[in-house]
Amino acid sequence: MLLDGDEWRAMFRDFRREAWRLETLPQYLVPQEAEEFEEFLAGKRRNPYTHSDEYTEDLKRLRSEGKRKGRVHIVTRPLSEYLRFEFSQYYEPNVRAGDEIRILDVTGRENPIPNVQDFWMFDRLTVVLMNYEPDGTQINRELYEGDPAPFIEYQRTAVAESVPYLEYVKGLDA
């Protein structure tokens, strides 16, 4: 079953403990980000420490309710322009608002979860496969109707093999 609109929003509204995502692509072509990405490429950047929007406010609300939201993004260096944009303009304020973002850098090493596609997992019970074109254009979101156990293992491995975002970016400056 494909998820869109209200059915997709309900996944984030109705989870009880944790919403977690695996990101595997070096670029996501998100129409809502296109103008901001172009500005970033032109050298215009917002201050991530003062950024607040609906997403960061929702993260704060979720944390106050005892819920968790997190992700692991698999990357290789050099980071794509899009990842540099996403890191500085979104990850930074999202982490400060409570998003548990981790980075799994597979530069010069084997990916411990090869060939796993992007997905969201809700309460370790419901998995939604995120289907993308190779360039990062989203095709659709598909409710996975099988056993979530492999995805729980992918999450366990990704978290164990990754580092917190703020730790990772400190290493980039060194």
Side-chain angles (χ1 to χ4, degrees):
M1 175 171 88
L2 299 181
L3 296 177
D4 207 359
D6 289 337
E7 292 172 322
W8 177 236
R9 284 187 289 278
M11 291 290 174
F12 293 94
R13 183 186 63 237
D14 298 341
F15 78 91
R16 295 176 185 260
R17 292 177 307 282
E18 179 186 52
W20 188 85
R21 178 164 182 181
L22 179 70
E23 294 180 312
T24 65
L25 300 177
Q27 170 177 284
Y28 294 92
L29 297 179
V30 181
Q32 302 91 311
E33 295 175 351
E35 183 178 339
E36 194 174 349
F37 183 48
E38 288 300 320
E39 289 174 359
F40 174 85
L41 292 174
K44 300 175 187 172
R45 297 181 171 108
R46 69 177 183 216
N47 182 344
Y49 301 105
T50 60
H51 176 67
S52 179
D53 61 17
E54 190 175 316
Y55 188 81
T56 57
E57 291 305 312
D58 189 55
L59 283 167
K60 292 172 187 176
R61 179 189 57 79
L62 290 171
R63 295 298 279 194
S64 73
E65 295 172 359
K67 296 178 181 180
R68 297 172 44 178
K69 204 170 192 184
R71 72 188 66 222
V72 169
H73 199 140
I74 300 173
V75 304
T76 56
R77 289 183 317 263
L79 297 177
S80 68
E81 289 294 320
Y82 179 83
L83 284 176
R84 290 179 47 248
F85 162 72
E86 184 176 52
F87 277 23
S88 69
Q89 302 301 290
Y90 288 101
Y91 280 7
E92 195 80 23
N94 292 354
V95 164
R96 296 187 188 290
D99 207 348
E100 297 173 16
I101 300 174
R102 299 177 67 84
I103 306 299
L104 173 53
D105 191 329
V106 295
T107 306
R109 71 177 216 168
E110 189 175 322
N111 182 343
I113 51 173
N115 305 315
V116 176
Q117 75 177 88
D118 284 41
F119 67 90
W120 273 99
M121 184 166 49
F122 301 90
D123 296 325
R124 297 187 175 188
L125 298 171
T126 304
V127 175
V128 177
L129 302 174
M130 306 296 289
N131 298 311
Y132 292 94
E133 296 288 349
D135 71 354
T137 302
Q138 188 176 77
I139 300 168
N140 59 36
R141 302 173 201 96
E142 178 182 359
L143 184 64
Y144 177 75
E145 298 187 25
D147 181 0
F151 295 91
I152 294 168
E153 182 60 20
Y154 299 148
Q155 179 191 31
R156 186 202 64 74
T157 301
V159 169
E161 296 285 335
S162 63
V163 297
Y165 167 80
L166 293 175
E167 181 180 324
Y168 182 77
V169 294
K170 280 183 191 171
L172 290 178
D173 297 336

